[in-house]
Amino acid sequence: MLRALARAVCFHRLGRLRDRTLESRQHRASGLNLVVASIILWNTVYMDRVIRFLRGQGEDIPDNLLPYLAPLGWQHINLTGDYLWAELAKLDQDGYRMLRTPTERLTA
């Protein structure tokens, strides 16, 4: 799954480094690793926030299931380079983006 994320980020699933020099390929691979690590960190932070929120709402989320969660998804991240900033993101009191409710996910 980690390789699939890296392939998705690297040239939008083409997964080829076409630089001619070893140094250029190393720079591009390092940048790829940085972007992949950033996506994993983002997902980890927000997965933790969702778990805390759901538990605060009374949902039973057993701790023994948490090791089976993987922060490797990227479906919610635009990898094509088309970024639209029509409105500012709504942040909560801690400076994080607001969590979406199930009905908001259906309309987004």
Side-chain angles (χ1 to χ4, degrees):
M1 184 107 171
L2 179 61
R3 288 183 181 174
L5 172 59
R7 268 194 308 276
V9 171
C10 184
F11 299 104
H12 197 59
R13 296 190 179 154
L14 294 179
R16 294 188 185 102
L17 298 177
R18 298 172 190 234
D19 298 297
R20 294 182 189 265
T21 67
L22 176 63
E23 183 180 11
S24 294
R25 288 191 302 265
Q26 288 173 332
H27 282 288
R28 193 170 302 271
S30 295
L32 173 63
N33 287 337
L34 181 62
V35 171
V36 168
S38 299
I39 291 171
I40 292 170
L41 175 62
W42 173 275
N43 290 342
T44 302
V45 167
Y46 278 87
M47 285 170 59
D48 176 63
R49 295 188 68 236
V50 167
I51 291 166
R52 290 175 191 263
F53 174 79
L54 290 174
R55 284 181 171 166
Q57 299 292 314
E59 291 285 333
D60 179 34
I61 302 173
D63 285 334
N64 64 331
L65 295 180
L66 297 181
Y68 298 101
L69 294 177
L72 300 175
W74 68 88
Q75 297 80 1
H76 58 288
I77 298 174
N78 184 354
L79 299 175
T80 64
D82 298 328
Y83 302 100
L84 304 173
W85 306 102
E87 63 180 55
L88 295 175
K90 298 173 186 160
L91 304 180
D92 65 10
Q93 67 271 11
D94 296 326
Y96 290 102
R97 293 182 68 152
M98 304 291 282
L99 298 176
R100 293 188 290 175
T101 62
T103 56
E104 290 173 325
R105 281 181 278 165
L106 292 175
T107 61

